[in-house]
Amino acid sequence: MATVVAVIASTHHPFYYRASTATGEDRPPFADEWTSKILAFRETLTRARPDVLVMVGSDHFHQLWLDNMPQFLVGKAPFYDANWYNEEREFGLPRMLLKGQEDLSGHILRAGLDSGFDLAFSNELRIDHSITCPIITLRPEADLPIVPIYTNIFAPPLPQPKRFVQLGQAIRDIVESWPSHLRVAVIGTGHLSLELGGPRQFGPHGPDPEFDQRAVEWIANGDLDGCLREVTLDSLHSPGNATHGFMDFMLMMGVAGAGAKADYVDTLDLFHTMEAYFTWYPNGAPAA
């Protein structure tokens, strides 16, 4: 059966690519520290030697709109065009073409349905920065096949936080039941406190540093019970109007497992958000 060799959760800041590649006067003052942290974070995936990446993210109203909004969707295509025109224009993100792992996509869909998750699927999915940003930061060669999984964190009615956790637990079980010798890394991205278009968007840090601190502690310690006691669909409005993306972090806590302490934790306060990086090795840390 397949082996889950790494579980990785992070934020997906779309400006990293531009900041890290800028030179001279165009290079922001925080770029060197940010790049250094990303290089260390990247090594946690490299050490795991994955063959396939299962990528969890959320479409930012690029392909999925209010006329047809699935709660959970699995890509099932031989390849995926990546990044949209506005992401190229606003963030400087490159166009990408990513290979798909159709067999694993099919296995997740079949086993997911049989496990009580009515998963949607798409054979013509174009993906955005919630998935390409972690590829840029963690595997810039973009040479590994992927299975993209999109969650609905934007368009109410949203699934409850516990459903994200349950899906994460199911993804772990399903991947480990895939009849394959391949090594799989499950990577998901979300938000800590985040404000978009509101009065708290451009502060010196995220809009709710206290929430960010609690969130990092929940994730780092695998404290699913504590997280689920405090986090509700209503409570996530308070830290910032886009904080429901934290539920993708909760999904990844489900993949890692209740009580699983992260093997790698790092954060960086930027001008309007806290960046956060976590890695778990389910079978123990690989040799350096």
Side-chain angles (χ1 to χ4, degrees):
M1 297 298 176
T3 303
V4 175
V5 293
V7 178
I8 296 180
S10 78
T11 43
H12 57 255
H13 203 306
F15 284 114
Y16 173 75
Y17 181 78
R18 176 173 283 169
S20 65
T21 56
T23 59
E25 294 182 355
D26 293 331
R27 190 171 179 84
F30 50 80
D32 289 348
E33 181 183 10
W34 198 1
T35 301
S36 177
K37 284 179 176 286
I38 289 297
L39 290 176
F41 183 42
R42 182 180 301 165
E43 183 60 23
T44 70
L45 177 64
T46 302
R47 288 176 61 191
R49 297 183 292 108
D51 302 307
V52 183
L53 306 178
V54 173
M55 308 290 300
V56 178
S58 300
D59 179 72
H60 294 73
F61 293 116
H62 283 116
Q63 182 157 344
L64 307 177
W65 186 239
L66 302 181
D67 59 346
N68 190 358
M69 178 59 68
Q71 301 294 4
F72 302 115
L73 179 146
V74 178
K76 186 177 181 291
F79 60 86
Y80 301 92
D81 289 310
N83 292 321
W84 293 75
Y85 172 70
N86 72 307
E87 296 173 310
E88 298 175 42
R89 181 189 67 232
E90 299 297 330
F91 309 137
L93 292 176
R95 293 190 181 186
M96 304 172 74
L97 183 66
L98 304 170
K99 183 179 179 182
Q101 212 323 326
E102 292 180 274
D103 185 61
L104 180 53
S105 291
H107 178 74
I108 290 172
L109 283 164
R110 180 68 267 166
L113 289 166
D114 294 343
S115 301
F117 285 90
D118 295 331
L119 301 170
F121 70 92
S122 173
N123 290 330
E124 297 184 6
L125 186 67
R126 186 175 185 136
I127 58 180
D128 77 356
H129 72 271
S130 69
I131 289 175
T132 60
C133 282
I135 289 175
I136 288 168
T137 55
L138 289 165
R139 191 75 177 196
E141 303 91 338
D143 58 343
L144 297 178
I146 70 167
V147 174
I149 300 177
Y150 268 151
T151 69
N152 175 22
I153 60 169
F154 292 116
L158 306 180
Q160 293 288 344
K162 67 180 179 181
R163 194 60 171 162
F164 281 77
V165 173
Q166 291 166 349
L167 179 58
Q169 294 167 334
I171 289 171
R172 170 76 175 271
D173 291 342
I174 290 169
V175 171
E176 290 181 333
S177 73
W178 182 36
S180 169
H181 66 283
L182 296 178
R183 301 165 61 87
V184 181
V186 185
I187 301 171
T189 67
H191 309 138
L192 301 183
S193 69
L194 185 65
E195 182 98 349
L196 296 177
R200 294 183 292 169
Q201 178 168 355
F202 291 113
H205 44 62
D208 192 336
E210 292 183 5
F211 175 85
D212 292 344
Q213 181 178 356
R214 293 199 308 276
V216 170
E217 290 174 356
W218 289 328
I219 300 166
N221 294 312
D223 186 7
L224 273 172
D225 289 340
C227 186
L228 285 167
R229 278 196 302 269
E230 292 196 37
V231 174
T232 67
L233 291 176
D234 288 338
S235 75
L236 287 172
H237 289 288
S238 297
N241 62 16
T243 308
H244 288 83
F246 179 67
M247 292 191 293
D248 279 341
F249 271 115
M250 297 178 71
L251 187 155
M252 297 309 299
M253 292 170 70
V255 178
K261 294 183 181 293
D263 295 289
Y264 180 91
V265 180
D266 199 8
T267 62
L268 175 65
D269 254 328
L270 288 177
F271 53 91
H272 73 286
T273 182
M274 174 179 277
E275 294 297 283
Y277 313 111
F278 306 89
T279 300
W280 295 261
Y281 295 117
N283 303 301

